[in-house]
Amino acid sequence: MTILEADGLMELPGKTINTNAERDRCQQSESCQNNAEDATLDLQKPSSYDDLLPASYRTPNDDIEPPTLTIDFLKQELQVERLNNIHDWLWLAGRPMPARPLHYQKALGRDIVVHERMDLHLVWVDNRIFLKPIPRYLLDQQFWQEHLGCKVGCSFPTVGRHDSIQERAEPTTCERCKIHQCALGFILSYAALISYESDLCIAKDANLVSSETTWPAWRSHVKKVLAEGKRRKINQRYIFGELRLARLNKIYKYTWRSPVRGYVSAYTSYVHFWHRNLVRIASLFAYLVVVLTAMQVGLANTRLQHSYAFQQASFGFTVFSVLAPLAFVGLVAAFSLGALLYNLNATFAYWRKRSATAQQSRAVNVA
């Protein structure tokens, strides 16, 4: 029996929900017992997980294929390598604390945006926070045992009573252990997000959890997850809760990991790029107008008319106010042109890569 079957969190394909009333009826009827045994046997088959997986997923070559429970699929679904690569800088983007509950996110005026990329889970920008719904297969205990358990004989990373937060997130070399740490950290993040019954209602409305999830079942599940989280190590990303997207973009740009796009591109078009920067130019121009007006008033004052220092400062700032907006516009234009050339080069390189991959596939099919 899985965790969810015991807690009543979800219904697996071909299996009835094991509520107390149904178990009583099964005890009264021999046929119901046989059906329950047959359903349990179906659950142990690998095909029983098919309905819990996405309809398709994108391979590293950007091909669309039906998912299979391989290491590559689980790594793409659960790992957060891009955040792990900048772990030493994450303190600039968020606090090392669990995520705040969903009702608190609503109180801050943040809209919940569903996003299936794990490395955008708990990332926020402006009045939006991105959250990945809980994959149904992560709520099945047997799935954890079959596909997330270590099978290479390594010592599965556990946590000591006096281990620090950093030691709890110490990385491991085993691929299955890495995926397990990511999955456990992700589930623990939901233990923090759904702390109250009102949080569960918000999660259901946002399609983050199944609509059939009940509050008693969720409380029971969280108890087990928290107990597991105290024994097992988690991925180091989940030391932190919410992360600011604007600061993640700056980290990726200033560390030259992606100097043009950043972590996630903040601009959806060149019009958007120019609009945001022209607003900054307008703000600079408004400040210059205020300063120049003040200097003009100062030059009309008899005490400042004969001040050599003030005359020089007025002359220098006048020249600066003429050249600065032009220089800023030129800088924005140069950056826009550079981004255009970078995107064109990346597009052509991607096209050549896709063409080569297609030719190789055709050669293999012909052979």
Side-chain angles (χ1 to χ4, degrees):
M1 181 180 295
T2 65
I3 287 180
L4 293 189
E5 293 171 69
D7 293 343
L9 280 173
M10 63 178 288
E11 181 177 1
L12 288 173
K15 188 174 183 67
T16 57
I17 300 176
N18 288 334
T19 60
N20 293 332
E22 288 175 332
R23 283 197 295 269
D24 292 341
R25 287 196 295 269
C26 287
Q27 291 175 356
Q28 296 174 3
S29 172
E30 184 67 27
S31 61
C32 288
Q33 291 177 356
N34 293 335
N35 290 337
E37 291 175 0
D38 293 340
T40 303
L41 292 175
D42 291 339
L43 178 63
Q44 296 173 356
K45 298 178 182 179
S47 60
S48 64
Y49 298 118
D50 289 347
D51 290 341
L52 307 183
L53 301 178
S56 64
Y57 87 106
R58 191 178 297 270
T59 66
N61 293 326
D62 282 337
D63 294 324
I64 302 299
E65 295 184 358
T68 56
L69 290 175
T70 61
I71 290 293
D72 291 337
F73 168 73
L74 293 176
K75 287 173 64 175
Q76 181 173 318
E77 283 287 300
L78 301 175
Q79 284 196 344
V80 284
E81 286 298 320
R82 292 205 303 160
L83 291 174
N84 292 156
N85 292 336
I86 57 171
H87 177 73
D88 293 338
W89 297 93
L90 285 185
W91 61 273
L92 290 172
R95 296 181 179 180
M97 59 180 289
R100 274 80 63 89
L102 292 178
H103 73 271
Y104 185 86
Q105 305 294 340
K106 285 288 188 178
L108 293 178
R110 294 176 182 170
D111 296 327
I112 297 174
V113 179
V114 173
H115 206 298
E116 293 291 349
R117 282 181 54 175
M118 187 65 81
D119 55 10
L120 281 178
H121 178 63
L122 289 176
V123 174
W124 67 273
V125 58
D126 298 331
N127 62 337
R128 296 174 296 161
I129 181 169
F130 303 106
L131 296 176
K132 178 180 174 65
I134 302 180
R136 297 176 64 193
Y137 54 81
L138 286 186
L139 295 175
D140 186 90
Q141 187 179 31
Q142 188 171 342
F143 178 88
W144 286 70
Q145 295 172 353
E146 293 181 3
H147 300 282
L148 298 181
C150 182
K151 293 185 178 181
V152 296
C154 74
S155 56
F156 200 82
T158 57
V159 179
R161 175 180 296 182
H162 303 292
D163 283 356
S164 64
I165 295 178
Q166 188 66 35
E167 290 171 333
R168 288 191 63 205
E170 195 173 303
T172 181
T173 57
C174 173
E175 290 297 331
R176 282 182 174 268
C177 291
K178 289 180 181 179
I179 298 174
H180 186 280
Q181 290 178 1
C182 291
L184 181 58
F186 173 72
I187 294 296
L188 284 172
S189 73
Y190 265 96
L193 287 170
I194 307 179
S195 299
Y196 296 89
E197 191 168 0
S198 58
D199 298 323
L200 182 60
C201 295
I202 296 173
K204 288 182 179 180
D205 292 338
N207 295 319
L208 299 176
V209 298
S210 171
S211 59
E212 299 174 354
T213 305
T214 63
W215 177 242
W218 178 256
R219 289 186 70 251
S220 175
H221 182 65
V222 167
K223 288 180 181 179
K224 298 175 182 178
V225 169
L226 292 177
E228 182 75 6
K230 292 179 180 179
R231 298 189 303 109
R232 304 294 189 186
K233 292 183 182 294
I234 60 174
N235 185 275
Q236 55 189 353
R237 178 266 176 267
Y238 295 101
I239 295 176
F240 299 87
E242 304 107 289
L243 299 174
R244 294 172 182 257
L245 180 58
R247 295 185 183 177
L248 291 176
N249 280 332
K250 289 182 174 62
I251 292 172
Y252 255 74
K253 289 179 179 179
Y254 297 154
T255 57
W256 288 92
R257 296 181 183 276
S258 181
V260 176
R261 297 180 60 86
Y263 188 72
V264 174
S265 179
Y267 307 107
T268 57
S269 65
Y270 291 104
V271 174
H272 186 205
F273 172 79
W274 273 98
H275 179 267
R276 290 190 64 175
N277 284 282
L278 287 177
V279 169
R280 295 169 182 170
I281 295 175
S283 301
L284 175 63
F285 182 76
Y287 174 74
L288 293 177
V289 168
V290 172
V291 174
L292 290 173
T293 303
M295 285 186 169
Q296 186 177 7
V297 173
L299 290 173
N301 188 289
T302 55
R303 296 182 58 184
L304 295 176
Q305 282 180 349
H306 306 291
S307 172
Y308 178 78
F310 188 76
Q311 293 283 346
Q312 290 297 106
S314 299
F315 173 77
F317 199 81
T318 300
V319 175
F320 172 78
S321 64
V322 173
L323 298 179
L326 295 177
F328 195 87
V329 171
L331 183 63
V332 172
F335 188 86
S336 179
L337 179 61
L340 175 62
L341 295 176
Y342 173 85
N343 290 330
L344 286 175
N345 180 63
T347 300
F348 288 135
Y350 179 79
W351 176 257
R352 290 192 294 268
K353 177 183 175 182
R354 290 284 290 177
S355 299
T357 303
Q359 291 177 359
Q360 291 177 359
S361 299
R362 286 196 295 268
V364 171
N365 292 334
V366 170

